[in-house]
Amino acid sequence: MTTRWLVIVGLLMEAAYLSFYLLPESPREVLLLIGVHVFVFLLLALTWWKSGAAHVEPRATRLVVGFAIVFRLTLILHPPVGSDDIYRYVWDGKVAAGGINPFAFAPADSALAHLHTTDLPSKINFPTMRTIYPPLAQGVFFVSHVLFGDSLAGLKFLFVLADIVSVLLLYRLFNAPLHGLLLYAWSPLPILYFGLDGHVDALGIPFLLLSLYLLQRGNLLKGAVSLGFAALSKLYPLLVVPFVFHLTKGWKKIALPAVPIVLLLIGCWLYWEPTGGLIESLIIFNTRFEFNGSLFHLIYALVGSNEKAHLVSSIMFLIWWATVFALNRTFLERVFLAFVGFIVCAPTVHPWYLTWLAALVVLRWSPAVFLLLGFSVISNWVAYQYRLSGVWRADTLLLWVEYIPFYVLLAREVVRGTFSFRQASANIGG
């Protein structure tokens, strides 16, 4: 592949991201987000296909990394479009900077009235719920407030820096070939959901990648510590902890998986407060909330109860998780399958949840997962309707359109033996 092609595609993608600055604030911004995602993803798919079948010039990989950094920095100054979660992050940092435990009070609590501004907490979703974000994330929110005050752009800048680290880890540590590196570096998911909307997942992904690199190379203690920091950013990396059991022998089989758990507990202890705020919203979220979950939606339709559907989907994921643990597979294969199972079974699947798989698919290729990364933008139609009407209403048809191609292709991979039933042949670095 020539650098000329990459420059042309890179400039087209950059023009798409710059288009956000041409549209005034309105619900149509969400339509633009959907359009930009589709446009960029199609360009990415075409470029990925061409890069796997052609000679790659030596400068090409560095060019991909350079454009990846530019894409992410481009959107920092633009207000969020598809989600308002970042207002909660900024609020938590402000509360912590005021000397108050962010888990102690909900944003709407009168005890925090002296911190209220025009935007905060009025733009926070579920202002009567206490925060749900783990200790390391809270620390970054606090640092952002100290450095940038209530600035959304300041916090997004920190997230983008973390995401650039993820790109560099794939490039430098895993030595991902160009066609693999493209899958994350130029993917619209991290660019739109970290650079534009500013989601906290950006903090955990580089720690997870570093952990995978270290653990696969036998640097077990450092890898377990990195896994702990990933979980302190967002809890999803806890999915990986049981698989660490397989990497060593003797008493270390118990001690090594305990390292990330202990780090998480220490972090929680630092934010502990007596009213249970540390886990209150986490329990509510995991027992009541639902959005865009494929298997959950089917279960809900069958049992007719939100609570029962949560229970059944949780049991099904635990069965999948235990099965992956028991399979004779590489560590990386287990990690990948665990995250896929989580997305399949989860009651709530926002598009930015898939950024973790966007990084993992570089290391373990799956056409079905790649297709889901592209189709995931469909769920933003619900956000568009919400911006228009003020009503958050899911659409079953959207779920069918989003997930059926994924399941069809997944079934094809299973039948062909390229998904979970044999060792992945596209693993990188381990």
Side-chain angles (χ1 to χ4, degrees), residues 69 100 124 149 156 188 192 288 306-307 351 364 381 393 397 416 424:
I69 294 171
I100 303 170
I124 294 176
K156 287 201 289 181
L192 291 173
R288 302 181 192 175
N306 186 35
E307 292 77 10
R364 199 292 193 183
W381 182 260
R393 183 171 53 249
L397 179 60
R416 289 191 169 191

Side-chain angles (χ1 to χ4, degrees), residues 49-72:
W49 176 74
K50 287 177 65 68
S51 68
H55 172 71
V56 177
E57 296 181 6
R59 296 181 299 168
T61 305
R62 294 192 295 272
L63 190 63
V64 166
V65 173
F67 266 114
I69 294 171
V70 172
F71 296 156
R72 286 156 170 79

Side-chain angles (χ1 to χ4, degrees), residues 47-364:
T47 304
W48 175 84
W49 176 74
K50 287 177 65 68
S51 68
H55 172 71
V56 177
E57 296 181 6
R59 296 181 299 168
T61 305
R62 294 192 295 272
L63 190 63
V64 166
V65 173
F67 266 114
I69 294 171
V70 172
F71 296 156
R72 286 156 170 79
L73 294 174
T74 294
L75 294 170
I76 287 176
L77 295 178
H78 195 284
V81 171
S83 165
D84 52 13
D85 283 2
I86 193 171
Y87 289 102
R88 170 78 71 162
Y89 308 159
V90 172
W91 173 258
D92 284 357
K94 184 173 187 173
V95 171
I100 303 170
N101 189 330
F103 293 96
F105 302 101
D109 197 296
S110 59
L112 303 179
H114 63 288
L115 297 176
H116 290 192
T117 63
T118 302
D119 290 339
L120 299 172
S122 62
K123 291 187 175 181
I124 294 176
N125 54 35
F126 304 104
T128 58
M129 284 180 59
R130 290 190 270 192
T131 190
I132 198 173
Y133 301 103
L136 183 59
Q138 294 293 341
V140 173
F141 303 160
F142 169 76
V143 169
S144 177
H145 184 84
V146 171
L147 295 176
F148 308 113
D150 292 350
S151 170
L152 304 185
L155 182 53
K156 287 201 289 181
F157 175 69
L158 297 181
F159 290 160
V160 164
L161 288 181
D163 192 38
I164 290 171
V165 170
S166 295
V167 173
L168 294 177
L169 287 173
L170 292 169
Y171 172 47
R172 300 294 295 179
L173 292 188
F174 288 95
N175 295 315
L178 184 139
H179 70 276
L181 184 62
L182 277 167
L183 295 174
Y184 188 79
W186 284 17
S187 170
L189 275 86
I191 296 165
L192 291 173
Y193 297 118
F194 300 157
L196 180 63
D197 283 353
H199 284 284
V200 71
D201 303 67
L203 297 178
I205 292 174
F207 283 114
L208 176 63
L209 291 174
L210 181 60
S211 173
L212 297 181
Y213 176 81
L214 293 170
L215 290 170
Q216 287 186 112
R217 281 155 181 75
N219 203 330
L220 300 182
L221 180 57
K222 290 181 179 179
V225 169
S226 182
L227 184 59
F229 280 111
L232 282 164
S233 304
K234 198 159 186 176
L235 297 179
Y236 302 155
L238 291 177
L239 298 173
V240 179
V241 171
F243 309 140
V244 178
F245 177 86
H246 295 287
L247 298 177
T248 187
K249 299 178 180 179
W251 63 271
K252 292 182 180 179
K253 280 184 171 289
I254 303 300
L256 195 64
V259 171
I261 302 297
V262 169
L263 286 174
L264 181 61
L265 291 175
I266 291 173
C268 291
W269 173 74
L270 293 174
Y271 280 92
W272 180 257
E273 51 84 37
T275 64
L278 194 65
I279 60 172
E280 179 184 85
S281 293
L282 188 65
I283 294 173
I284 293 172
F285 181 83
N286 286 293
T287 57
R288 302 181 192 175
F289 279 48
E290 56 92 7
F291 171 71
N292 198 46
S294 58
L295 184 61
F296 176 86
H297 186 79
L298 177 61
I299 295 169
Y300 195 177
L302 292 174
V303 303
S305 165
N306 186 35
E307 292 77 10
K308 289 180 181 178
H310 272 83
L311 178 61
V312 173
S313 62
S314 296
I315 292 172
M316 294 186 73
F317 172 69
L318 290 175
I319 292 171
W320 172 256
W321 201 18
T323 302
V324 173
F325 178 84
L327 287 172
N328 180 24
R329 294 294 178 265
T330 65
F331 176 67
L332 180 57
E333 180 81 353
R334 287 190 175 101
V335 172
F336 179 78
L337 294 176
F339 272 88
V340 171
F342 171 75
I343 293 299
V344 167
C345 297
T348 303
V349 184
H350 289 292
W352 53 91
Y353 292 10
L354 295 171
T355 53
W356 300 80
L357 277 175
L360 291 175
V361 82
V362 177
L363 309 178
R364 199 292 193 183

Side-chain angles (χ1 to χ4, degrees), residues 26-55:
S26 72
R28 289 184 299 166
E29 288 181 307
V30 183
L31 295 181
L32 179 61
L33 184 149
I34 295 172
V36 168
H37 177 110
V38 172
F39 176 71
V40 170
F41 191 82
L42 290 174
L43 285 176
L44 170 64
L46 177 60
T47 304
W48 175 84
W49 176 74
K50 287 177 65 68
S51 68
H55 172 71

